[in-house]
Amino acid sequence: MMKMSSTKTLLTGNHAVAWGARLARPKFIACYPITPQTPILEKLTDFHMAGELDAEILTPESEHSAMAACISASLTGVRVFTATSCQGLLLMHEMLHYASGARAPIVMFNVNRTVASPWAFWPDQTDSVSQRDTGWIQLYSESGQESLDSVMQAFRIAEQVVNPVLVNQDAFYISHALEPVEVPAQETVDRYLPPFHPEHVLDPERGESLGNVVSPEMFCQHRKDIGQAMQLAIAVAQESDAEWERLVGRGYGIIEPYCCEGAELVIVTMGSMCGTVRHTVDEMRARGRSVGLLKVRLFRPFPVEAVRDALAGIPDVLVLDRNFSPGTGGVLHQELKSALYGMTDAPRMHGYLAGVGGVNVPPGKIEEFVDQVRRNEPAIHSVWTG
Amino acid sequence: MLEIIIHGRGGQGAQTAGNLLAQAFFREGKQVQSFATYGGARRGTPVNSMIRIDDKPIRLRCDIERADAILCFDRSLLDARLLHWADRDTMIVVNSAGLRENYSSLGDYRIYPIDGVALSQDHELGRIVNSALLGAFCCLLGSPALDTMSTTILEAAPVKQKRNVAACRAGFEAAMRQFVRNEPIREAEAR
């Protein structure tokens, strides 16, 4: 491993994301401000003003237009970054499908926030999990450091599989949390992310076109291609993480089993709550309780095989969902049930809606959930917690 | 792990104070996490800044449930709702010209009133009280060191850096005089 100088400093999650974007050297950024994402855009424009970010920054009239501009720019063959949150992400919804259909390898950062109505600003992942069918690769981060590192990895994944990537962090607990973050050296990032030169670009000199009217068979074939790119993304995400770890010493995996060996119960969750569960697992293990954490970092494509391997032989699994799909329950709970379906000796699966709307989930509550789960038969549907 | 809540009204600088305190502890080699929670903060509405300090990396991503120390920027916010985060051991510093005895009706709590407004006005800082209160808070908490806090303020304050540092030192001294050395409060201070 070649050592290059990095700097450890105090950054909020949002500023860590802006640093990640700056280091990736995007050529185009179209972005619309929204609480709690705004500090990302503010920091990027600070970098731009100081001459430290050589990108065109466009601030259009809406998120829908921002994503439309990102798609067009990406198709001309330049590296593109944007960031948003909740209502903004949802306003982009139509364009999200378009971006993956157009195979535009954009990297977008989303700060998870409650979806209106009613109006609120608390952490809740319904905004992004509800975009699971748009063809975007999705990663969820546990810390500001991981957010910065994930932006690097997202560009590498996006450009290798030619598909857009959405990286997510929870509002406030990460976005507005000031904590020590190591900012890698530019040379390290340049070694990791070579200049972007896609095979197909919109260029008047070359006369290619994209997005024409097609036959059903052509459309179907196109969807199969996207599906294949998604399947490929699992291995590419693993490789991208391993290579980043080789360069900077920090890797996260596409999933992370923590203290799962011989565990009676494993808690599965995504995003900031992984940190609180990790803390709780350490405390409970110290008192002789055999519990573990399975952190799902790559949510799309859902790493079914890796999750099955990690949970094989575990008696009870508790899924904690900081999101709510009315009429279904917790989206991660649904994903886990689907992933483990038909597995021999599959774990008993308990799904709790915990932290929906930003409700506080401290270690004490997580311990209560574990005790409840050990006492009760699993319910078919997700269970509300207070 | 040390868990601290700074409580104030939007615009009073509670979030800035939280970040300054975290920076000072970080400068002393500690692991820190400082975050604000607000439902779209507006000027005048209550806001919380939560700070965790530890020797090992902090993984918790949830609100503080019981604080080891509380710094309250506005005495009108020192009520049962704020005390929900406190117990008998919680060290509570409140920006107030009142006496400790004035707060005995709230229950058995360790409340230390510091006249942040008077201290700030002495240093021509108007109603910007965070430097003075941080000085007093560091004194009563026992860390970070006054010099670390002063250096952090000196580097971070956008304007009036020297006056802010002087207010921080004056806050430290006032807390030392009133509550550590237990010198009788002067009439001018007991406003």
Side-chain angles (χ1 to χ4, degrees):
Chain A
M1 181 175 133
M2 194 174 142
K3 274 276 174 197
M4 282 179 265
S5 68
S6 61
T7 323
K8 194 152 205 169
T9 179
L10 286 185
L11 291 178
T12 62
N14 278 340
H15 285 179
V17 170
W19 265 102
R22 165 185 163 164
L23 288 164
R25 299 186 192 270
K27 282 286 167 208
F28 182 83
I29 296 165
C31 200
Y32 191 90
I34 178 169
T35 302
Q37 157 267 28
T38 306
I40 299 176
L41 176 57
E42 286 173 342
K43 195 71 183 169
L44 286 172
T45 51
D46 281 352
F47 290 148
H48 191 251
M49 286 271 286
E52 294 160 342
L53 174 63
D54 179 24
E56 183 181 347
I57 300 185
L58 193 72
T59 50
E61 72 281 8
S62 75
E63 285 90 352
H64 189 278
S65 301
M67 183 46 66
C70 285
I71 295 167
S72 312
S74 177
L75 296 180
T76 67
V78 297
R79 189 168 284 161
V80 174
F81 178 80
T82 185
T84 191
S85 177
C86 70
Q87 310 302 122
L89 182 67
L90 301 179
L91 186 55
M92 287 179 183
H93 178 73
E94 177 201 0
M95 288 288 116
L96 297 185
H97 282 281
Y98 201 102
S100 66
R103 308 295 299 271
I106 301 159
V107 169
M108 172 155 62
F109 209 97
N110 178 60
V111 183
N112 292 114
R113 173 193 142 184
T114 46
V115 173
S117 169
W119 203 245
F121 299 86
W122 311 115
D124 185 306
Q125 296 167 349
T126 309
D127 56 354
S128 57
V129 294
S130 69
Q131 304 309 303
R132 64 192 180 276
D133 303 329
T134 58
W136 284 61
I137 294 159
Q138 285 199 31
L139 293 164
Y140 286 80
S141 162
E142 182 187 335
S143 68
Q145 181 73 68
E146 186 177 338
S147 293
L148 186 155
D149 293 338
S150 294
V151 171
M152 304 294 113
Q153 296 183 14
F155 276 108
R156 192 169 161 117
I157 300 165
E159 290 166 13
Q160 281 193 40
V161 303
V162 199
N163 235 27
V165 180
L166 178 67
V167 191
N168 299 280
Q169 70 184 6
D170 286 326
F172 301 112
Y173 292 134
I174 303 180
S175 71
H176 285 59
L178 189 75
E179 56 187 337
V181 173
E182 199 162 303
V183 178
Q186 185 67 62
E187 311 88 78
T188 311
V189 177
D190 290 345
R191 273 165 52 116
Y192 182 75
L193 283 179
F196 176 48
H197 295 301
E199 190 185 340
H200 297 282
V201 293
L202 286 177
D203 179 353
E205 301 294 314
R206 289 175 35 171
E208 282 189 46
S209 77
L210 287 155
N212 279 339
V213 177
V214 294
S215 68
E217 291 73 22
M218 290 164 81
F219 192 95
C220 185
Q221 182 57 48
H222 193 66
R223 283 299 177 271
K224 284 186 191 169
D225 290 347
I226 294 173
Q228 276 177 4
M230 271 296 201
Q231 280 314 301
L232 181 65
I234 293 178
V236 171
Q238 272 168 329
E239 183 278 332
S240 300
D241 184 66
E243 178 60 15
W244 185 247
E245 184 170 18
R246 199 182 65 77
L247 281 173
V248 303
R250 291 185 302 275
Y252 306 93
I254 54 170
I255 59 165
E256 184 203 346
Y258 179 74
C259 296
C260 288
E261 196 107 333
E264 285 176 17
L265 180 143
V266 167
I267 299 169
V268 185
T269 192
M270 297 199 294
S272 68
M273 217 189 293
C274 294
T276 312
V277 173
R278 200 182 289 277
H279 179 100
T280 311
V281 162
D282 283 353
E283 287 190 341
M284 293 184 79
R285 283 264 172 186
R287 295 199 306 271
R289 303 286 303 272
S290 57
V291 293
L293 158 72
L294 180 65
K295 164 178 168 176
V296 175
R297 180 166 174 259
L298 180 67
F299 173 70
R300 274 295 179 274
F302 198 77
V304 173
E305 283 82 8
V307 166
R308 280 184 164 227
D309 287 349
L311 296 178
I314 304 292
D316 281 289
V317 166
L318 167 61
V319 185
L320 298 182
D321 269 293
R322 180 164 253 160
N323 68 76
F324 178 54
S325 170
T328 297
V331 169
L332 189 60
H333 183 209
Q334 193 186 17
E335 295 285 338
L336 259 289
K337 283 197 286 191
S338 161
L340 302 195
Y341 181 76
M343 184 176 163
T344 316
D345 298 326
R348 302 189 325 155
M349 178 83 63
H350 312 257
Y352 280 13
L353 295 158
V356 173
V359 167
N360 190 34
V361 185
K365 263 195 192 175
I366 294 169
E367 290 201 32
E368 278 175 30
F369 299 159
V370 169
D371 289 338
Q372 283 169 22
V373 160
R374 296 294 288 159
R375 283 198 309 267
N376 297 319
E377 283 301 311
I380 297 168
H381 300 294
S382 306
V383 175
W384 280 103
T385 64
Chain B
M1 187 189 302
L2 188 61
E3 294 187 301
I4 296 169
I5 292 178
I6 301 187
H7 193 65
R9 294 187 181 278
Q12 282 185 321
Q15 196 179 343
T16 304
N19 287 347
L20 287 170
L21 194 62
Q23 281 167 25
F25 276 110
F26 181 64
R27 199 182 277 267
E28 292 190 346
K30 297 288 185 187
Q31 297 285 335
V32 296
Q33 181 194 71
S34 163
F35 65 98
T37 57
Y38 49 83
R42 296 169 298 277
R43 233 163 237 283
T45 56
V47 288
N48 260 338
S49 176
M50 298 195 170
I51 306 115
R52 292 190 169 99
I53 298 128
D54 207 347
D55 292 322
K56 33 183 215 294
I58 298 158
R59 285 97 41 94
L60 283 175
R61 301 276 171 187
C62 55
D63 296 348
I64 290 171
E65 290 192 292
R66 194 209 64 86
D68 297 298
I70 292 175
L71 173 55
C72 179
F73 270 53
D74 191 317
R75 64 190 163 88
S76 68
L77 292 173
L78 182 52
D79 57 17
R81 273 172 299 181
L82 182 59
L83 293 171
H84 174 73
W85 284 298
D87 62 20
R88 286 175 181 196
D89 296 326
T90 304
M91 197 261 310
I92 303 166
V93 174
V94 58
N95 176 24
S96 163
L99 300 170
R100 292 196 78 177
E101 293 72 32
N102 298 359
Y103 293 94
S104 54
S105 61
L106 287 170
D108 189 9
Y109 292 104
R110 292 172 59 206
I111 296 176
Y112 301 94
I114 289 284
D115 193 352
V117 175
L119 287 163
S120 298
Q121 285 173 350
D122 286 350
H123 294 87
E124 297 171 37
L125 291 167
R127 299 190 71 79
I128 307 301
V129 291
N130 42 13
S131 296
L133 291 179
L134 280 173
F137 196 65
C138 292
C139 172
L140 295 168
L141 197 61
S143 61
L146 176 60
D147 283 345
T148 319
M149 196 67 247
S150 302
T151 310
T152 305
I153 289 173
L154 186 70
E155 289 179 8
V159 290
K160 302 181 183 173
Q161 289 87 355
K162 285 184 179 163
R163 284 182 199 164
N164 274 289
V165 168
C168 172
R169 290 186 175 276
F172 188 94
E173 181 53 34
M176 181 67 85
R177 206 171 52 237
Q178 280 173 243
F179 304 116
V180 181
R181 293 201 296 262
N182 285 315
E183 289 177 12
I185 199 157
R186 286 172 299 184
E187 253 179 55
E189 285 170 342
R191 279 177 276 208

